[in-house]
Amino acid sequence: MKLEIGNFHVKDVVFGETTNYKEGILTINKKEALDYVLEDEHITEADLLIVKPGDKVRLVPVKEAIECRVKVDGTTLFPGVTGDVAPVGNGRTHALKDCSLLVVGKHWGGFQDGLIDMSGEGAKYTYFSQLKNIVLVGDTDEDFEKNEQQKKNKALRWAGHKLAEYIGSCVKDLEPEDIETFELTPVTKRAEDVQKLPSVVFVMQPQSQMEEMGYNDLVYGWDTNHIVPTFMHPNEILDGAMISGSFMPVSSKWATYDFQNNPTIKELYAEHGKTINFLGVIMSNLNVALDQKNRAALFVAQMAKSLGADGAIVSEEGYGNPDADFIACIVALEDAGVKTVGITNECTGRDGESQPLVALDEKADAIVSTGNVSELIELPPMETVIGELESLGRDGLSGGWANDEILGPSVRKDGSIIMENNAMFCGDQICGWSPKTMKEF
């Protein structure tokens, strides 16, 4: 499979008479874009805003992030979601780089929603503060879940996916500024010099624990709760096969943007044929029952061994219960003779002294940490809030609270906040580009 991603590097985003891209400037006709969003009868109100790095803006509750793109051949960007199921990972896709489309609730948030600061101390905690962001902020008629801690956020998330394709269409027929090429020949047909290199597989564990449909990540529009570990071409992940879900504590989530730009996949590609033979991706799952966890781990290990893997990277989306899947997978791979490195965040408590993972094993002796989800963060008031600041404390965001006996409320009367790192939107970036590191004492 050969995927070409034609990049258009956005220098600025503005509103104007027509939606177009010219000389680094992305212009959006705001009315036409909102009319398109409001075609969904479940969207009761919507607005479109632009925020840029350095703006004195706080966004909350943030529900999703997507890179605006278009398939040059006219097929759908997100098969099974924005259109019919169709293969991805081949051909040409055009992408608007250095910007993202954020979906923000006008009022209601939940466990899976988070916060982004575009400037100040809070900006360092999330990658999305570095991007020029087109912000879709809206509300829906999904009254049945407004007061629920766990929300599917379907109407708003789907609106974001469709709008990302709608905006991306403006570069469909343009010549890209540069092209990234991702190509792997079939595993059994690679050149002899490549096959002599250490073979590495990337094991991804997307959120898939909710047995009720609508909360989990999607693969080709199919709920990942239904899948067993499956071998996928990395191009599929980079090209729209995966959609972010609405269940995981938000700092631990992979946004759809993270699937589209997964830095671990890109780094493995960069080393392919030089230092490693990149075999591809085993898309595993996260389970509830212990026997399901062990069974999935055995599937992964058998698949990796059959592919001839010498090494593996395992990355879990989330923490807590998923830690058992994460460690079981690492142990099964090590038992199969596959040297394995894990990528995960930790839940070590506000004081940093608790056990970092729910499950541990001495065979999991090479783990890259992306930080402590429970770390306390205090941030001053922000000049502008997009969404509703009160949602951080009112609606059960994973890092916020209505009131704490010692710390008081997450949202203070002056607009300053205190919260756990948990509430930073995709803040731990377990996909591979976390800015955090470790100190040894």
Side-chain angles (χ1 to χ4, degrees), residues 155-211:
L156 284 175
R157 290 192 299 121
W158 256 235
H161 301 141
K162 293 176 181 177
L163 184 59
E165 186 171 18
Y166 176 87
I167 294 172
S169 296
C170 74
V171 294
K172 180 175 181 289
D173 299 320
L174 302 183
E175 188 61 32
E177 292 152 24
D178 60 73
I179 296 174
E180 293 178 278
T181 301
F182 302 96
E183 183 175 14
L184 290 178
T185 53
V187 174
T188 60
K189 299 185 182 300
R190 295 182 180 173
E192 186 177 344
D193 59 332
V194 174
Q195 293 193 21
K196 288 179 179 178
L197 295 170
S199 294
V200 178
V201 68
F202 182 30
V203 181
M204 300 179 70
Q205 295 179 311
Q207 61 168 22
S208 52
Q209 290 182 292
M210 293 293 279
E211 293 181 352

Side-chain angles (χ1 to χ4, degrees), residues 8-33:
F8 298 81
H9 296 278
V10 177
K11 298 175 183 175
D12 200 6
V13 185
V14 297
F15 290 125
E17 292 185 3
T18 61
T19 298
N20 66 81
Y21 178 85
K22 186 176 181 180
E23 297 179 350
I25 308 300
L26 173 61
T27 303
I28 300 170
N29 183 307
K30 182 174 179 178
K31 182 181 183 304
E32 289 181 359

Side-chain angles (χ1 to χ4, degrees), residues 168-324:
S169 296
C170 74
V171 294
K172 180 175 181 289
D173 299 320
L174 302 183
E175 188 61 32
E177 292 152 24
D178 60 73
I179 296 174
E180 293 178 278
T181 301
F182 302 96
E183 183 175 14
L184 290 178
T185 53
V187 174
T188 60
K189 299 185 182 300
R190 295 182 180 173
E192 186 177 344
D193 59 332
V194 174
Q195 293 193 21
K196 288 179 179 178
L197 295 170
S199 294
V200 178
V201 68
F202 182 30
V203 181
M204 300 179 70
Q205 295 179 311
Q207 61 168 22
S208 52
Q209 290 182 292
M210 293 293 279
E211 293 181 352
E212 181 180 340
M213 300 299 96
Y215 294 100
N216 300 308
D217 292 351
L218 301 180
V219 53
Y220 286 99
W222 199 28
D223 196 296
T224 51
N225 183 263
H226 293 322
I227 73 168
V228 294
T230 303
F231 183 65
M232 293 183 69
H233 197 289
N235 289 6
E236 296 177 280
I237 290 93
L238 296 176
D239 199 32
M242 301 295 299
I243 291 287
S244 177
S246 191
F247 166 62
M248 199 59 68
V250 73
S251 73
S252 306
K253 277 176 62 172
W254 294 331
T256 297
Y257 184 100
D258 295 325
F259 284 117
Q260 293 172 299
N261 293 279
N262 189 282
T264 302
I265 289 177
K266 288 189 174 184
E267 184 64 23
L268 289 166
Y269 251 119
E271 293 301 315
H272 177 68
K274 298 175 183 176
T275 62
I276 62 167
N277 175 15
F278 179 26
L279 297 173
V281 175
I282 297 176
M283 191 63 65
S284 188
N285 51 356
L286 299 172
N287 304 279
V288 177
L290 185 59
D291 64 325
Q292 295 171 354
K293 296 174 187 292
N294 291 333
R295 190 177 298 116
L298 292 175
F299 267 87
V300 169
Q302 178 277 124
M303 203 175 299
K305 198 65 178 175
S306 296
L307 287 166
D310 301 303
I313 298 173
V314 179
S315 183
E316 64 167 332
E317 184 181 11
Y319 67 91
N321 186 288
D323 292 345

Side-chain angles (χ1 to χ4, degrees), residues 17 34 75 99-100 123 257 260-261 354 362 395 401 405-406:
E17 292 185 3
L34 287 173
T75 56
C99 69
S100 78
Y257 184 100
Q260 293 172 299
N261 293 279
S354 298
E362 61 184 11
D395 299 336
W401 56 84
E405 291 181 350
I406 299 172

